[in-house]
Amino acid sequence: MVAPATGDVSEGDAKTVDDEVRQLYERYQAAESDAERREVALKMGKLDGRRHTRIYAALEGG
């Protein structure tokens, strides 16, 4: 997912990311194996990377 051209992140986008983070955190806590926790952690890292991309885009466009 790429940040809008203006660098603005809508409230809806932020809520979607918050929901994704919450779901991943719950999955991580419920994981029964190291492999499952690693898989969830990798997904969390990708989500974090998308968030940083949006922040940097907003800073450059600001």
Side-chain angles (χ1 to χ4, degrees):
M1 187 176 247
V2 177
T6 62
D8 295 334
V9 176
S10 73
E11 189 172 316
D13 288 342
K15 180 159 178 47
T16 299
V17 170
D18 289 346
D19 289 343
E20 285 183 71
V21 169
R22 187 176 305 107
Q23 289 171 2
L24 287 171
Y25 180 75
E26 290 171 359
R27 283 184 54 202
Y28 186 87
Q29 293 298 315
E32 295 182 4
S33 69
D34 287 341
E36 190 177 354
R37 281 187 284 279
R38 184 178 189 289
E39 178 185 332
V40 174
L42 290 172
K43 289 180 181 182
M44 292 169 107
K46 288 179 184 178
L47 178 62
D48 197 38
R50 289 192 341 235
R51 293 168 92 183
H52 285 174
T53 298
R54 289 178 176 168
I55 291 168
Y56 295 140
L59 291 171
E60 288 177 3

